Amino acid sequence: MSIPKIALQLWSIKEHIQENLEASLKAVSEMGYDGVEFAGYFDNSADDVKSWLEKYNLEVAASHTPFEALQDNLEAEIEFAKTINNKFMIVPYASFDSLSGWENFWKEMEKIARRLNEEGITLGYHNHNHELDSSKGYEILDLAAKLAPSILLEIDTYWVNFADVDPVNWIKNHTDSVGMLHIKDFDEINKESIQIGHGSLPINDYVKVASQLEHPWLVIEQEAFRTASPLEAAAANVKTLRKIVEEVAK
């Protein structure tokens, strides 16, 4: 069993990131995060991002990169990733109305993944709840395993639960396809994300399975803020998750 590092999905504090990326990275470092997962660079250069990461002792867990950017500007995305030492590029969302649409998507993802592999970069995909809907006779994430075996899934435990699927069982049944977990908690009353430890999800179980499978990172994300600001929530979340990780490691 290994102990995963903890990163913040920077979309959780997107207003601050958009205003001042360096100041935001400094704040995240001071909160006690090991790294960050980018969701855009907001016109900052790769060299600047690299220097700020080094300055504030943060690693890159991954970056969320739109599928269209990989299609249209793959080589530029590769160069940016290599400059900031990012080894995991993740498509954050896709949606198609037909089986053929999804099949074509995964086949194209496989082509992109193979090119990224040549540069030592892994391609991933981040799920929501619609990819776990099997009412049409197929499950989208199962198609990924068959048609895009070179990618690794970043499983969002919140959205798996939202789809009425048990995240731990799903992950254990797809261990070869999963490379990283997103950790959020669930507010049953308002049906939205909430600070870790304030919701209904068994976060300890998610940390345990990630540790057993030796995932390198746990990525915190929060999208709704009723009781604390995004920065306050991010600071509280890493403290809570760090305690859980330490308990699991005992």
PDB file of all heavy atoms in Angstrom, residues 57-89:
ATOM      1  N   ASN A  57       7.189  25.022  -4.614  1.00  0.00           N
ATOM      2  CA  ASN A  57       7.383  23.591  -4.299  1.00  0.00           C
ATOM      3  C   ASN A  57       6.115  22.775  -4.543  1.00  0.00           C
ATOM      4  O   ASN A  57       5.679  22.004  -3.688  1.00  0.00           O
ATOM      5  CB  ASN A  57       7.848  23.425  -2.852  1.00  0.00           C
ATOM      6  CG  ASN A  57       8.406  22.036  -2.578  1.00  0.00           C
ATOM      7  OD1 ASN A  57       8.976  21.401  -3.472  1.00  0.00           O
ATOM      8  ND2 ASN A  57       8.245  21.557  -1.360  1.00  0.00           N
ATOM      9  N   LEU A  58       5.534  22.956  -5.718  1.00  0.00           N
ATOM     10  CA  LEU A  58       4.343  22.224  -6.112  1.00  0.00           C
ATOM     11  C   LEU A  58       4.643  21.353  -7.328  1.00  0.00           C
ATOM     12  O   LEU A  58       5.361  21.770  -8.238  1.00  0.00           O
ATOM     13  CB  LEU A  58       3.204  23.186  -6.476  1.00  0.00           C
ATOM     14  CG  LEU A  58       2.569  23.965  -5.327  1.00  0.00           C
ATOM     15  CD1 LEU A  58       1.661  25.054  -5.883  1.00  0.00           C
ATOM     16  CD2 LEU A  58       1.778  23.033  -4.408  1.00  0.00           C
ATOM     17  N   GLU A  59       4.084  20.151  -7.343  1.00  0.00           N
ATOM     18  CA  GLU A  59       4.173  19.275  -8.495  1.00  0.00           C
ATOM     19  C   GLU A  59       2.904  19.402  -9.338  1.00  0.00           C
ATOM     20  O   GLU A  59       1.872  19.874  -8.857  1.00  0.00           O
ATOM     21  CB  GLU A  59       4.342  17.827  -8.048  1.00  0.00           C
ATOM     22  CG  GLU A  59       5.602  17.542  -7.258  1.00  0.00           C
ATOM     23  CD  GLU A  59       5.657  16.097  -6.822  1.00  0.00           C
ATOM     24  OE1 GLU A  59       5.573  15.206  -7.702  1.00  0.00           O
ATOM     25  OE2 GLU A  59       5.763  15.847  -5.613  1.00  0.00           O
ATOM     26  N   VAL A  60       2.984  18.939 -10.573  1.00  0.00           N
ATOM     27  CA  VAL A  60       1.802  18.891 -11.434  1.00  0.00           C
ATOM     28  C   VAL A  60       1.248  17.473 -11.384  1.00  0.00           C
ATOM     29  O   VAL A  60       1.903  16.527 -11.835  1.00  0.00           O
ATOM     30  CB  VAL A  60       2.138  19.284 -12.879  1.00  0.00           C
ATOM     31  CG1 VAL A  60       0.867  19.268 -13.728  1.00  0.00           C
ATOM     32  CG2 VAL A  60       2.786  20.661 -12.931  1.00  0.00           C
ATOM     33  N   ALA A  61       0.051  17.337 -10.850  1.00  0.00           N
ATOM     34  CA  ALA A  61      -0.603  16.032 -10.851  1.00  0.00           C
ATOM     35  C   ALA A  61      -1.143  15.713 -12.234  1.00  0.00           C
ATOM     36  O   ALA A  61      -1.052  14.570 -12.696  1.00  0.00           O
ATOM     37  CB  ALA A  61      -1.735  16.008  -9.829  1.00  0.00           C
ATOM     38  N   ALA A  62      -1.707  16.730 -12.892  1.00  0.00           N
ATOM     39  CA  ALA A  62      -2.314  16.542 -14.210  1.00  0.00           C
ATOM     40  C   ALA A  62      -2.786  17.889 -14.721  1.00  0.00           C
ATOM     41  O   ALA A  62      -2.706  18.911 -14.013  1.00  0.00           O
ATOM     42  CB  ALA A  62      -3.491  15.567 -14.126  1.00  0.00           C
ATOM     43  N   SER A  63      -3.286  17.900 -15.915  1.00  0.00           N
ATOM     44  CA  SER A  63      -3.965  19.084 -16.451  1.00  0.00           C
ATOM     45  C   SER A  63      -5.215  18.637 -17.181  1.00  0.00           C
ATOM     46  O   SER A  63      -5.198  17.642 -17.916  1.00  0.00           O
ATOM     47  CB  SER A  63      -3.057  19.862 -17.401  1.00  0.00           C
ATOM     48  OG  SER A  63      -2.814  19.102 -18.574  1.00  0.00           O
ATOM     49  N   HIS A  64      -6.312  19.356 -16.974  1.00  0.00           N
ATOM     50  CA  HIS A  64      -7.516  19.133 -17.763  1.00  0.00           C
ATOM     51  C   HIS A  64      -7.372  19.912 -19.069  1.00  0.00           C
ATOM     52  O   HIS A  64      -7.213  21.133 -19.061  1.00  0.00           O
ATOM     53  CB  HIS A  64      -8.754  19.595 -16.985  1.00  0.00           C
ATOM     54  CG  HIS A  64      -9.234  18.589 -15.994  1.00  0.00           C
ATOM     55  ND1 HIS A  64     -10.466  18.653 -15.389  1.00  0.00           N
ATOM     56  CD2 HIS A  64      -8.641  17.459 -15.508  1.00  0.00           C
ATOM     57  CE1 HIS A  64     -10.625  17.615 -14.586  1.00  0.00           C
ATOM     58  NE2 HIS A  64      -9.533  16.889 -14.627  1.00  0.00           N
ATOM     59  N   THR A  65      -7.419  19.175 -20.157  1.00  0.00           N
ATOM     60  CA  THR A  65      -7.167  19.759 -21.479  1.00  0.00           C
ATOM     61  C   THR A  65      -8.305  19.366 -22.407  1.00  0.00           C
ATOM     62  O   THR A  65      -8.537  18.168 -22.620  1.00  0.00           O
ATOM     63  CB  THR A  65      -5.836  19.231 -22.045  1.00  0.00           C
ATOM     64  OG1 THR A  65      -4.801  19.407 -21.072  1.00  0.00           O
ATOM     65  CG2 THR A  65      -5.468  19.974 -23.317  1.00  0.00           C
ATOM     66  N   PRO A  66      -9.043  20.313 -22.948  1.00  0.00           N
ATOM     67  CA  PRO A  66     -10.175  19.979 -23.819  1.00  0.00           C
ATOM     68  C   PRO A  66      -9.762  19.113 -25.004  1.00  0.00           C
ATOM     69  O   PRO A  66      -8.662  19.264 -25.552  1.00  0.00           O
ATOM     70  CB  PRO A  66     -10.685  21.346 -24.277  1.00  0.00           C
ATOM     71  CG  PRO A  66     -10.241  22.289 -23.210  1.00  0.00           C
ATOM     72  CD  PRO A  66      -8.906  21.769 -22.742  1.00  0.00           C
ATOM     73  N   PHE A  67     -10.643  18.223 -25.382  1.00  0.00           N
ATOM     74  CA  PHE A  67     -10.412  17.338 -26.522  1.00  0.00           C
ATOM     75  C   PHE A  67     -10.085  18.131 -27.781  1.00  0.00           C
ATOM     76  O   PHE A  67      -9.186  17.768 -28.550  1.00  0.00           O
ATOM     77  CB  PHE A  67     -11.661  16.475 -26.737  1.00  0.00           C
ATOM     78  CG  PHE A  67     -11.568  15.525 -27.898  1.00  0.00           C
ATOM     79  CD1 PHE A  67     -10.584  14.561 -27.963  1.00  0.00           C
ATOM     80  CD2 PHE A  67     -12.506  15.589 -28.927  1.00  0.00           C
ATOM     81  CE1 PHE A  67     -10.508  13.677 -29.033  1.00  0.00           C
ATOM     82  CE2 PHE A  67     -12.443  14.710 -29.995  1.00  0.00           C
ATOM     83  CZ  PHE A  67     -11.444  13.752 -30.048  1.00  0.00           C
ATOM     84  N   GLU A  68     -10.780  19.249 -27.976  1.00  0.00           N
ATOM     85  CA  GLU A  68     -10.566  20.067 -29.168  1.00  0.00           C
ATOM     86  C   GLU A  68      -9.154  20.640 -29.212  1.00  0.00           C
ATOM     87  O   GLU A  68      -8.558  20.758 -30.279  1.00  0.00           O
ATOM     88  CB  GLU A  68     -11.602  21.203 -29.224  1.00  0.00           C
ATOM     89  CG  GLU A  68     -13.038  20.744 -29.407  1.00  0.00           C
ATOM     90  CD  GLU A  68     -13.665  20.190 -28.131  1.00  0.00           C
ATOM     91  OE1 GLU A  68     -13.077  20.376 -27.031  1.00  0.00           O
ATOM     92  OE2 GLU A  68     -14.747  19.556 -28.229  1.00  0.00           O
ATOM     93  N   ALA A  69      -8.614  20.977 -28.037  1.00  0.00           N
ATOM     94  CA  ALA A  69      -7.246  21.500 -27.992  1.00  0.00           C
ATOM     95  C   ALA A  69      -6.244  20.429 -28.384  1.00  0.00           C
ATOM     96  O   ALA A  69      -5.239  20.709 -29.056  1.00  0.00           O
ATOM     97  CB  ALA A  69      -6.937  22.028 -26.591  1.00  0.00           C
ATOM     98  N   LEU A  70      -6.507  19.204 -27.989  1.00  0.00           N
ATOM     99  CA  LEU A  70      -5.614  18.104 -28.356  1.00  0.00           C
ATOM    100  C   LEU A  70      -5.714  17.797 -29.847  1.00  0.00           C
ATOM    101  O   LEU A  70      -4.721  17.434 -30.479  1.00  0.00           O
ATOM    102  CB  LEU A  70      -5.952  16.861 -27.537  1.00  0.00           C
ATOM    103  CG  LEU A  70      -5.719  16.988 -26.031  1.00  0.00           C
ATOM    104  CD1 LEU A  70      -6.180  15.733 -25.312  1.00  0.00           C
ATOM    105  CD2 LEU A  70      -4.252  17.260 -25.726  1.00  0.00           C
ATOM    106  N   GLN A  71      -6.886  17.935 -30.395  1.00  0.00           N
ATOM    107  CA  GLN A  71      -7.062  17.714 -31.833  1.00  0.00           C
ATOM    108  C   GLN A  71      -6.378  18.798 -32.657  1.00  0.00           C
ATOM    109  O   GLN A  71      -5.719  18.507 -33.653  1.00  0.00           O
ATOM    110  CB  GLN A  71      -8.551  17.685 -32.192  1.00  0.00           C
ATOM    111  CG  GLN A  71      -9.277  16.393 -31.853  1.00  0.00           C
ATOM    112  CD  GLN A  71     -10.691  16.405 -32.363  1.00  0.00           C
ATOM    113  OE1 GLN A  71     -11.465  17.320 -32.086  1.00  0.00           O
ATOM    114  NE2 GLN A  71     -11.051  15.399 -33.133  1.00  0.00           N
ATOM    115  N   ASP A  72      -6.544  20.050 -32.221  1.00  0.00           N
ATOM    116  CA  ASP A  72      -6.115  21.182 -33.050  1.00  0.00           C
ATOM    117  C   ASP A  72      -4.695  21.648 -32.762  1.00  0.00           C
ATOM    118  O   ASP A  72      -4.034  22.186 -33.651  1.00  0.00           O
ATOM    119  CB  ASP A  72      -7.075  22.361 -32.845  1.00  0.00           C
ATOM    120  CG  ASP A  72      -8.503  22.042 -33.257  1.00  0.00           C
ATOM    121  OD1 ASP A  72      -8.701  21.099 -34.049  1.00  0.00           O
ATOM    122  OD2 ASP A  72      -9.419  22.722 -32.770  1.00  0.00           O
ATOM    123  N   ASN A  73      -4.223  21.449 -31.521  1.00  0.00           N
ATOM    124  CA  ASN A  73      -2.920  22.008 -31.125  1.00  0.00           C
ATOM    125  C   ASN A  73      -2.111  21.012 -30.310  1.00  0.00           C
ATOM    126  O   ASN A  73      -1.501  21.374 -29.303  1.00  0.00           O
ATOM    127  CB  ASN A  73      -3.135  23.297 -30.307  1.00  0.00           C
ATOM    128  CG  ASN A  73      -3.868  24.358 -31.080  1.00  0.00           C
ATOM    129  OD1 ASN A  73      -3.375  24.896 -32.067  1.00  0.00           O
ATOM    130  ND2 ASN A  73      -5.086  24.671 -30.623  1.00  0.00           N
ATOM    131  N   LEU A  74      -2.076  19.774 -30.758  1.00  0.00           N
ATOM    132  CA  LEU A  74      -1.466  18.723 -29.947  1.00  0.00           C
ATOM    133  C   LEU A  74       0.002  18.991 -29.655  1.00  0.00           C
ATOM    134  O   LEU A  74       0.453  18.852 -28.512  1.00  0.00           O
ATOM    135  CB  LEU A  74      -1.630  17.365 -30.634  1.00  0.00           C
ATOM    136  CG  LEU A  74      -1.063  16.171 -29.864  1.00  0.00           C
ATOM    137  CD1 LEU A  74      -1.694  16.051 -28.492  1.00  0.00           C
ATOM    138  CD2 LEU A  74      -1.272  14.880 -30.663  1.00  0.00           C
ATOM    139  N   GLU A  75       0.767  19.366 -30.654  1.00  0.00           N
ATOM    140  CA  GLU A  75       2.205  19.544 -30.432  1.00  0.00           C
ATOM    141  C   GLU A  75       2.484  20.688 -29.469  1.00  0.00           C
ATOM    142  O   GLU A  75       3.394  20.601 -28.626  1.00  0.00           O
ATOM    143  CB  GLU A  75       2.915  19.764 -31.769  1.00  0.00           C
ATOM    144  CG  GLU A  75       2.808  18.573 -32.721  1.00  0.00           C
ATOM    145  CD  GLU A  75       3.238  17.256 -32.088  1.00  0.00           C
ATOM    146  OE1 GLU A  75       4.298  17.235 -31.421  1.00  0.00           O
ATOM    147  OE2 GLU A  75       2.525  16.248 -32.255  1.00  0.00           O
ATOM    148  N   ALA A  76       1.683  21.760 -29.556  1.00  0.00           N
ATOM    149  CA  ALA A  76       1.858  22.875 -28.618  1.00  0.00           C
ATOM    150  C   ALA A  76       1.497  22.450 -27.200  1.00  0.00           C
ATOM    151  O   ALA A  76       2.172  22.837 -26.232  1.00  0.00           O
ATOM    152  CB  ALA A  76       0.996  24.058 -29.048  1.00  0.00           C
ATOM    153  N   GLU A  77       0.443  21.647 -27.066  1.00  0.00           N
ATOM    154  CA  GLU A  77       0.058  21.154 -25.742  1.00  0.00           C
ATOM    155  C   GLU A  77       1.142  20.249 -25.170  1.00  0.00           C
ATOM    156  O   GLU A  77       1.427  20.281 -23.970  1.00  0.00           O
ATOM    157  CB  GLU A  77      -1.271  20.398 -25.823  1.00  0.00           C
ATOM    158  CG  GLU A  77      -2.471  21.260 -26.181  1.00  0.00           C
ATOM    159  CD  GLU A  77      -2.878  22.223 -25.082  1.00  0.00           C
ATOM    160  OE1 GLU A  77      -2.410  22.058 -23.940  1.00  0.00           O
ATOM    161  OE2 GLU A  77      -3.664  23.142 -25.366  1.00  0.00           O
ATOM    162  N   ILE A  78       1.760  19.458 -26.021  1.00  0.00           N
ATOM    163  CA  ILE A  78       2.849  18.584 -25.578  1.00  0.00           C
ATOM    164  C   ILE A  78       4.019  19.410 -25.060  1.00  0.00           C
ATOM    165  O   ILE A  78       4.584  19.125 -23.996  1.00  0.00           O
ATOM    166  CB  ILE A  78       3.296  17.658 -26.716  1.00  0.00           C
ATOM    167  CG1 ILE A  78       2.239  16.576 -26.982  1.00  0.00           C
ATOM    168  CG2 ILE A  78       4.652  17.009 -26.403  1.00  0.00           C
ATOM    169  CD1 ILE A  78       2.503  15.734 -28.208  1.00  0.00           C
ATOM    170  N   GLU A  79       4.388  20.439 -25.800  1.00  0.00           N
ATOM    171  CA  GLU A  79       5.525  21.260 -25.388  1.00  0.00           C
ATOM    172  C   GLU A  79       5.260  21.962 -24.069  1.00  0.00           C
ATOM    173  O   GLU A  79       6.151  22.057 -23.216  1.00  0.00           O
ATOM    174  CB  GLU A  79       5.857  22.271 -26.487  1.00  0.00           C
ATOM    175  CG  GLU A  79       6.527  21.647 -27.695  1.00  0.00           C
ATOM    176  CD  GLU A  79       7.757  20.816 -27.332  1.00  0.00           C
ATOM    177  OE1 GLU A  79       8.633  21.347 -26.594  1.00  0.00           O
ATOM    178  OE2 GLU A  79       7.837  19.644 -27.734  1.00  0.00           O
ATOM    179  N   PHE A  80       4.037  22.456 -23.891  1.00  0.00           N
ATOM    180  CA  PHE A  80       3.682  23.117 -22.623  1.00  0.00           C
ATOM    181  C   PHE A  80       3.776  22.110 -21.484  1.00  0.00           C
ATOM    182  O   PHE A  80       4.372  22.393 -20.430  1.00  0.00           O
ATOM    183  CB  PHE A  80       2.260  23.687 -22.718  1.00  0.00           C
ATOM    184  CG  PHE A  80       1.982  24.794 -21.741  1.00  0.00           C
ATOM    185  CD1 PHE A  80       1.793  26.095 -22.174  1.00  0.00           C
ATOM    186  CD2 PHE A  80       1.904  24.541 -20.370  1.00  0.00           C
ATOM    187  CE1 PHE A  80       1.531  27.129 -21.278  1.00  0.00           C
ATOM    188  CE2 PHE A  80       1.645  25.557 -19.469  1.00  0.00           C
ATOM    189  CZ  PHE A  80       1.455  26.857 -19.914  1.00  0.00           C
ATOM    190  N   ALA A  81       3.216  20.929 -21.707  1.00  0.00           N
ATOM    191  CA  ALA A  81       3.234  19.904 -20.666  1.00  0.00           C
ATOM    192  C   ALA A  81       4.656  19.510 -20.294  1.00  0.00           C
ATOM    193  O   ALA A  81       4.984  19.351 -19.107  1.00  0.00           O
ATOM    194  CB  ALA A  81       2.445  18.681 -21.135  1.00  0.00           C
ATOM    195  N   LYS A  82       5.508  19.343 -21.268  1.00  0.00           N
ATOM    196  CA  LYS A  82       6.886  18.948 -20.990  1.00  0.00           C
ATOM    197  C   LYS A  82       7.623  20.036 -20.226  1.00  0.00           C
ATOM    198  O   LYS A  82       8.431  19.749 -19.338  1.00  0.00           O
ATOM    199  CB  LYS A  82       7.601  18.612 -22.302  1.00  0.00           C
ATOM    200  CG  LYS A  82       7.102  17.325 -22.947  1.00  0.00           C
ATOM    201  CD  LYS A  82       7.672  17.108 -24.334  1.00  0.00           C
ATOM    202  CE  LYS A  82       9.146  16.836 -24.316  1.00  0.00           C
ATOM    203  NZ  LYS A  82       9.656  16.519 -25.676  1.00  0.00           N
ATOM    204  N   THR A  83       7.339  21.282 -20.548  1.00  0.00           N
ATOM    205  CA  THR A  83       8.016  22.390 -19.872  1.00  0.00           C
ATOM    206  C   THR A  83       7.678  22.430 -18.392  1.00  0.00           C
ATOM    207  O   THR A  83       8.551  22.662 -17.545  1.00  0.00           O
ATOM    208  CB  THR A  83       7.632  23.733 -20.521  1.00  0.00           C
ATOM    209  OG1 THR A  83       8.051  23.731 -21.884  1.00  0.00           O
ATOM    210  CG2 THR A  83       8.295  24.904 -19.808  1.00  0.00           C
ATOM    211  N   ILE A  84       6.410  22.171 -18.052  1.00  0.00           N
ATOM    212  CA  ILE A  84       6.006  22.242 -16.647  1.00  0.00           C
ATOM    213  C   ILE A  84       6.062  20.880 -15.959  1.00  0.00           C
ATOM    214  O   ILE A  84       5.622  20.733 -14.825  1.00  0.00           O
ATOM    215  CB  ILE A  84       4.606  22.865 -16.490  1.00  0.00           C
ATOM    216  CG1 ILE A  84       3.527  21.956 -17.096  1.00  0.00           C
ATOM    217  CG2 ILE A  84       4.571  24.261 -17.103  1.00  0.00           C
ATOM    218  CD1 ILE A  84       2.109  22.417 -16.781  1.00  0.00           C
ATOM    219  N   ASN A  85       6.607  19.873 -16.673  1.00  0.00           N
ATOM    220  CA  ASN A  85       6.758  18.514 -16.135  1.00  0.00           C
ATOM    221  C   ASN A  85       5.415  17.887 -15.783  1.00  0.00           C
ATOM    222  O   ASN A  85       5.235  17.285 -14.725  1.00  0.00           O
ATOM    223  CB  ASN A  85       7.680  18.499 -14.917  1.00  0.00           C
ATOM    224  CG  ASN A  85       8.174  17.090 -14.594  1.00  0.00           C
ATOM    225  OD1 ASN A  85       8.334  16.256 -15.489  1.00  0.00           O
ATOM    226  ND2 ASN A  85       8.411  16.817 -13.321  1.00  0.00           N
ATOM    227  N   ASN A  86       4.478  18.030 -16.696  1.00  0.00           N
ATOM    228  CA  ASN A  86       3.164  17.415 -16.544  1.00  0.00           C
ATOM    229  C   ASN A  86       3.137  16.093 -17.299  1.00  0.00           C
ATOM    230  O   ASN A  86       3.350  16.062 -18.510  1.00  0.00           O
ATOM    231  CB  ASN A  86       2.071  18.344 -17.086  1.00  0.00           C
ATOM    232  CG  ASN A  86       0.706  17.691 -17.079  1.00  0.00           C
ATOM    233  OD1 ASN A  86       0.427  16.806 -16.268  1.00  0.00           O
ATOM    234  ND2 ASN A  86      -0.152  18.111 -17.991  1.00  0.00           N
ATOM    235  N   LYS A  87       2.858  15.012 -16.598  1.00  0.00           N
ATOM    236  CA  LYS A  87       2.876  13.676 -17.194  1.00  0.00           C
ATOM    237  C   LYS A  87       1.483  13.116 -17.462  1.00  0.00           C
ATOM    238  O   LYS A  87       1.354  11.981 -17.915  1.00  0.00           O
ATOM    239  CB  LYS A  87       3.618  12.703 -16.265  1.00  0.00           C
ATOM    240  CG  LYS A  87       5.047  13.114 -15.926  1.00  0.00           C
ATOM    241  CD  LYS A  87       5.940  13.076 -17.156  1.00  0.00           C
ATOM    242  CE  LYS A  87       7.398  13.324 -16.765  1.00  0.00           C
ATOM    243  NZ  LYS A  87       8.290  13.336 -17.957  1.00  0.00           N
ATOM    244  N   PHE A  88       0.430  13.896 -17.176  1.00  0.00           N
ATOM    245  CA  PHE A  88      -0.920  13.355 -17.274  1.00  0.00           C
ATOM    246  C   PHE A  88      -1.855  14.437 -17.809  1.00  0.00           C
ATOM    247  O   PHE A  88      -2.181  15.392 -17.104  1.00  0.00           O
ATOM    248  CB  PHE A  88      -1.384  12.884 -15.902  1.00  0.00           C
ATOM    249  CG  PHE A  88      -2.505  11.876 -15.899  1.00  0.00           C
ATOM    250  CD1 PHE A  88      -2.955  11.268 -17.049  1.00  0.00           C
ATOM    251  CD2 PHE A  88      -3.112  11.526 -14.705  1.00  0.00           C
ATOM    252  CE1 PHE A  88      -3.977  10.333 -17.026  1.00  0.00           C
ATOM    253  CE2 PHE A  88      -4.135  10.589 -14.659  1.00  0.00           C
ATOM    254  CZ  PHE A  88      -4.568   9.992 -15.831  1.00  0.00           C
ATOM    255  N   MET A  89      -2.274  14.296 -19.059  1.00  0.00           N
ATOM    256  CA  MET A  89      -3.210  15.228 -19.675  1.00  0.00           C
ATOM    257  C   MET A  89      -4.580  14.565 -19.748  1.00  0.00           C
ATOM    258  O   MET A  89      -4.707  13.452 -20.269  1.00  0.00           O
ATOM    259  CB  MET A  89      -2.719  15.629 -21.062  1.00  0.00           C
ATOM    260  CG  MET A  89      -1.403  16.382 -21.035  1.00  0.00           C
ATOM    261  SD  MET A  89      -0.667  16.649 -22.675  1.00  0.00           S
ATOM    262  CE  MET A  89      -1.862  17.771 -23.380  1.00  0.00           C
TER     263      MET A  89
END
